[in-house]
Amino acid sequence: MKPYLRKRVLVTGCAGFLGSHLCERLLDAGHDVLGVDNFYTGSKDNLLHMLGNPHFELMRHDITFPLYVEVDEIFNLACPASPIYYQFDPVQTTKTSVHGAINMLGLAKRVKAKILQASTSEVYGDPEVHPQREDYWGRVNPIGIRSCYDEGKRCAETLFFDYRRQYGLKIKVVRIFNTFGPRMHPNDGRVVSNFIVQALKGEDITIYGDGSQTRSFCYVDDLIEALLRTMKTPDDFTGPVNIGNPAEFTMLELAERVIAITGSKSKLSFQPLPQDDPKQRRPDISLATQALGGWVPKIPLEDGLRKTISYFKNLMA
Ligand SMILES: NC(=O)c1ccc[n+]([C@@H]2O[C@H](COP(=O)([O-])OP(=O)(O)OC[C@H]3O[C@@H](n4cnc5c(N)ncnc54)[C@H](O)[C@@H]3O)[C@@H](O)[C@H]2O)c1
């Protein structure tokens, strides 16, 4: 890339599932990438293949503390994303979302960088409208065990928009819906990784409730493409914008597909539904399609599952 086109891009949460894929794509596009992570849920293994690249720099840093670096763009992805990890230290989870956002916005303000926040569909809570559009304000329990994550992310969105109103920052807020793919944690309790690992081990597949609750699943490559396109939108486009795959599946359907692809002999085991678990979740992505140059997810669930299953097979071998 010509040096004047090359950007210095900061990715927080670079050692995590989404962060590592994003760093890869940014390096492929010829940018200089500074990855920051405290390795709470992320792993250096996700970055090993990038460590020799002179355009990649890895820094151990916790974003609840200020950071002083020179960059042109910031992707703020740092935050544990699975209930098991974000509920393990809920105070730290809220701090990561809130103090982390303040620190990254402060950095963006100092160096006049454009900044993107990885928000989440959890800001909609257990929604009364379906599918969820960006103008729906959500139904979130402020004092439950998921609140550290949901309310932390909501507060981060507030901070992003106040920094824009108060200081004119160039912000982008994306609301990410369930995403899956290689480099997900094998045992973080997220449904796709859970089902795959249980199927590969031949263990019973755990279904919460009666399995009729639905989710939509976006393959990681589609998601990263949308993040990159969002960063490139004109300055007057701030989001929030939903990013996800609107194809909806019940947990029973997902389990059946995983069993079919792995050829596993696993049986289904039904457990009570966890507190505040949403019954239905599906993004309305019309805004993303319109604002991001016709973006729509391209990878069907079946193909994504095959790639993810093959990753987990290698990992477990
Ligand atoms: N994967 C999804 O389906 C999904 C859905 C909605 C939103 N998101 C959001 O996308 C982002 C990335 O999610 P992911 O699935 O890659 O999760 P992940 O847990 O794999 O990655 C998060 C990364 O952030 C790091 N981190 C956590 N706290 C930190 C801190 N205080 N300072 C520095 N680093 C810290 C972790 O070590 C990890 O490497 C998160 O903000 C998450 O809320 C993800």
Side-chain angles (χ1 to χ4, degrees):
M1 178 180 270
K2 297 199 172 76
Y4 62 89
L5 291 176
R6 178 176 293 142
K7 295 199 182 94
R8 299 161 302 174
V9 186
L10 167 62
V11 177
T12 75
C14 66
F17 162 47
L18 299 182
S20 59
H21 285 276
L22 177 61
C23 290
E24 223 166 64
R25 284 288 300 272
L26 288 164
L27 288 171
D28 287 349
H31 297 298
D32 263 324
V33 178
L34 169 60
V36 159
D37 209 292
N38 69 352
F39 302 107
Y40 176 54
T41 52
S43 160
K44 280 185 193 155
D45 290 339
N46 291 336
L47 302 169
L48 282 181
H49 58 297
M50 290 177 247
L51 290 179
N53 186 329
H55 294 287
F56 181 68
E57 208 180 331
L58 174 61
M59 185 192 279
R60 180 188 288 269
H61 176 79
D62 184 323
I63 62 156
T64 61
F65 297 95
L67 179 65
Y68 298 92
V69 289
E70 296 294 323
V71 288
D72 306 303
E73 291 179 352
I74 303 169
F75 287 86
N76 188 34
L77 269 60
C79 186
S82 81
I84 289 180
Y85 289 111
Y86 73 62
Q87 288 167 10
F88 178 75
D89 188 350
V91 173
Q92 172 68 10
T93 299
T94 306
K95 277 188 186 169
T96 294
S97 277
V98 178
H99 291 195
I102 292 171
N103 288 326
M104 291 308 112
L105 286 160
L107 170 63
K109 180 171 167 246
R110 275 195 300 278
V111 300
K112 298 189 171 44
K114 212 185 322 180
I115 180 164
L116 178 146
Q117 167 69 358
S119 190
T120 168
S121 56
E122 302 292 338
V123 300
Y124 299 121
D126 193 358
E128 304 109 318
V129 301
H130 196 73
Q132 291 82 50
R133 281 167 40 115
E134 291 83 352
D135 53 8
Y136 174 56
W137 289 356
R139 187 166 75 115
V140 175
N141 174 359
I143 57 167
I145 55 170
R146 301 173 75 107
S147 313
C148 57
Y149 184 72
D150 304 3
E151 295 289 25
K153 289 283 189 182
R154 284 168 70 95
C155 183
E157 287 199 9
T158 309
L159 284 161
F160 267 68
F161 279 85
D162 280 335
Y163 266 76
R164 175 169 177 88
R165 282 184 285 260
Q166 208 169 325
Y167 305 114
L169 250 67
K170 295 175 191 163
I171 63 152
K172 315 278 173 198
V173 173
V174 298
R175 292 183 178 154
I176 302 173
F177 283 65
N178 275 350
T179 303
F180 73 103
R183 303 202 201 122
M184 294 181 85
H185 306 252
N187 48 10
D188 70 359
R190 284 193 256 188
V191 63
V192 175
S193 44
N194 252 12
F195 284 7
I196 293 177
V197 171
Q198 288 172 329
L200 289 176
K201 286 185 176 166
E203 294 170 355
D204 284 356
I205 291 190
T206 317
I207 307 266
Y208 294 105
D210 62 4
S212 63
Q213 69 275 34
T214 63
R215 292 291 185 276
S216 60
F217 302 101
C218 185
Y219 188 66
V220 60
D221 291 358
D222 284 328
L223 187 279
I224 299 298
E225 175 65 25
L227 294 188
L228 295 169
R229 288 189 189 202
T230 305
M231 191 56 115
K232 284 191 190 141
T233 52
D235 291 348
D236 61 354
F237 181 78
T238 57
V241 58
N242 290 336
I243 305 292
N245 192 327
E248 199 174 5
F249 298 90
T250 66
M251 295 303 95
L252 281 178
E253 284 170 329
L254 178 69
E256 278 156 13
R257 280 178 194 229
V258 169
I259 288 175
I261 300 173
T262 52
S264 169
K265 304 238 175 327
S266 296
K267 301 272 175 296
L268 305 184
S269 145
F270 292 87
Q271 306 285 334
L273 214 54
Q275 191 194 337
D276 295 337
D277 199 43
K279 281 155 216 71
Q280 238 183 351
R281 195 52 84 54
R282 176 159 71 98
D284 179 322
I285 58 163
S286 24
L287 176 61
T289 304
Q290 173 233 312
L292 308 182
W295 175 85
V296 281
K298 293 203 176 107
I299 296 149
L301 180 68
E302 194 84 7
D303 296 1
L305 282 178
R306 284 183 195 283
K307 291 180 199 214
T308 313
I309 287 168
S310 126
Y311 166 79
F312 277 113
K313 257 190 192 157
N314 283 336
L315 197 71
M316 288 162 68

